[in-house]
Amino acid sequence: MILAVPILIAVSLFLGWALVSLAVNALPLFSGVSAGLLVLGWSGSAAGGLIAGLRVGIAVAMVGPIAFSRARSPMLRLSIGLIFAAPAAVAAYHAVSGLFDHVVGTAPRETLAFAAAFLVGMAAWRRFTDRADRPVAD
């Protein structure tokens, strides 16, 4: 019993870290899965769907930071950043809301979910802008 509390804390911290790390890549993952399922529905080929999904996901993950770093208008940069950070915030909101659905009441659950959405959205924004502003080696 003595070891259960530190192990539970460590597992909770690891799952929180994994949630933030995976939510940052929510848009490329969503785009890739959507394209893969679309091709699978059209052709019925699992290999074709997998290849299309990988290509689209990688393309979105690569084109986003390039478009952000080359955009000169602050509004365009804000729009591109929000396109990548908003799905991460939505994913965090629903993950925390689902985790605490039967544990706490409605008001604390919503407060925790909005706080997680804000924090993960800011973390996604920070990681995206850091990745986009990184100098490219020639």
Side-chain angles (χ1 to χ4, degrees):
M1 182 67 185
I2 293 173
L3 289 177
V5 173
I7 290 173
L8 183 63
I9 291 171
V11 167
S12 298
L13 290 174
F14 173 75
L15 290 176
W17 170 81
L19 173 70
V20 172
S21 296
L22 294 173
V24 168
N25 297 314
L27 182 67
L29 177 68
F30 175 74
S31 302
V33 169
S34 297
L37 290 174
L38 185 66
V39 169
L40 178 65
W42 280 346
S43 68
S45 169
L50 183 64
I51 291 169
L54 284 172
R55 284 183 176 178
V56 168
I58 290 171
V60 169
M62 290 177 66
V63 169
I66 292 170
F68 183 83
S69 65
R70 294 187 188 245
R72 297 291 171 230
S73 167
M75 289 303 291
L76 184 59
R77 287 176 67 103
L78 176 68
S79 299
I80 294 170
L82 284 177
I83 287 171
F84 275 80
V90 170
Y93 172 82
H94 287 291
V96 171
S97 181
L99 286 173
F100 289 107
D101 192 24
H102 298 293
V103 178
V104 295
T106 304
R109 182 187 72 224
E110 292 297 316
T111 303
L112 287 171
F114 277 116
F118 178 76
L119 292 173
V120 171
M122 290 297 108
W125 176 271
R126 175 70 185 217
R127 285 190 184 181
F128 179 74
T129 56
D130 285 349
R131 190 179 339 160
D133 291 336
R134 191 177 304 146
V136 179
D138 291 325

